[in-house]
Amino acid sequence: MTVRATTIKDAETGEAAIRCPACGSDVSYRYGKTAAGKARRICLMCQRQFTIDNAWPTRPQRPLCPACGQPMHVYRRQPGLTRYRCRNYPRCKSYVKVEE
Ligand SMILES: [Zn+2]
Ligand SMILES: [Zn+2]
């Protein structure tokens, strides 16, 4: 019996910059739909469910990891300060703090 590899990638295509409205993390994935038919997402950092409509406005500039050059994820937001974590975490444990 032949088993075809399923496409793992398509879930996140083109939606990398959606942010959780609760914690500002941009690490989320699709989590079904709301009753109104909108795409629902769930935040990996705080487990909050949200839709794209109430996500944080996206910011284009994200720092690149100083160790491996990959774009970084927002890890935590504080007033005046955003911490980023390398997308290769836990393989790469680089952090960057950006003052606003
Ligand atoms: Zn969150
Ligand atoms: Zn890195």
Side-chain angles (χ1 to χ4, degrees):
M1 178 173 139
T2 308
V3 180
R4 290 206 172 197
T6 51
T7 308
I8 302 165
K9 258 183 151 178
D10 62 0
E12 291 298 330
T13 309
E15 293 186 7
I18 297 164
R19 293 191 189 286
C20 170
C23 71
S25 163
D26 62 357
V27 190
S28 64
Y29 56 90
R30 283 187 192 176
Y31 197 70
K33 291 195 168 173
T34 66
K38 295 194 169 159
R40 181 162 52 191
R41 302 185 70 85
I42 185 166
C43 174
L44 276 182
M45 292 295 178
C46 70
Q47 316 298 305
R48 186 74 70 96
Q49 293 173 32
F50 60 99
T51 63
I52 292 170
D53 281 0
N54 67 3
W56 279 27
T58 56
R59 287 170 164 244
Q61 74 280 24
R62 274 195 273 171
L64 299 179
C65 173
C68 63
Q70 297 292 318
M72 304 186 88
H73 289 306
V74 174
Y75 172 63
R76 175 175 287 177
R77 276 180 186 275
Q78 299 169 313
L81 184 71
T82 303
R83 293 167 197 257
Y84 292 87
R85 187 168 75 178
C86 181
R87 69 187 281 182
N88 281 336
Y89 183 89
R91 273 186 295 147
C92 174
K93 294 195 166 61
S94 292
Y95 286 81
V96 168
K97 294 182 194 174
V98 177
E99 290 183 38
E100 296 176 357

